[in-house]
Amino acid sequence: MALSKGKGAWLIAGFNTMSDSEKAKYNRVALCKFMSKVIYGICLSLLLWALSDLLKLTWLYILGMVLFVALLLFTIIYANTGDRFKK
C-alpha cells in the first residue's frame, strides 16, 4: 500500500543500499509506483497458483507461471533500460 502512494522506497532492494547521493539521482515516487504495480502482478500470479491447487485446474497454474515469468522479464528490462527513473 505504501509503494502505491509513492512512499516506502526503503522496501525496494538495491535502492535501500544506495548512498544518499545516489538516491538523490532517482525519482522515488515513480520508482515506488512502478514497483507497486509489479508487486500487484506477482500477487495475482500467486493467487492463480493457489486457485489452481484448490480447484485442481492445471491451466490456472500454467497461466500464473507464464504471468510471473513474463512480469519478471518485463520488469528487469523496463527498469534497467532508458533511465526511466532518473531525475
Side-chain angles (χ1 to χ4, degrees):
M1 188 71 158
L3 287 174
S4 62
K5 293 181 180 180
K7 301 181 188 294
W10 58 273
L11 292 169
I12 302 171
F15 188 80
N16 187 18
T17 60
M18 288 181 182
S19 65
D20 289 336
S21 61
E22 291 248 344
K23 288 180 184 178
K25 296 177 186 175
Y26 289 90
N27 183 347
R28 289 180 187 212
V29 174
L31 182 61
C32 287
K33 287 184 178 187
F34 173 73
M35 289 308 297
S36 73
K37 292 173 187 172
V38 171
I39 291 171
Y40 287 137
I42 290 172
C43 288
L44 176 62
S45 67
L46 291 174
L47 178 65
L48 290 175
W49 292 343
L51 285 175
S52 73
D53 191 42
L54 288 173
L55 302 174
K56 306 293 185 217
L57 296 173
T58 307
W59 66 271
L60 272 179
Y61 177 79
I62 294 170
L63 180 64
M65 184 60 74
V66 168
L67 175 66
F68 182 77
V69 171
L71 188 60
L72 288 181
L73 288 175
F74 170 76
T75 302
I76 291 169
I77 293 169
Y78 184 81
N80 291 309
T81 58
D83 294 332
R84 288 175 174 83
F85 303 111
K86 289 200 177 184
K87 288 184 179 177

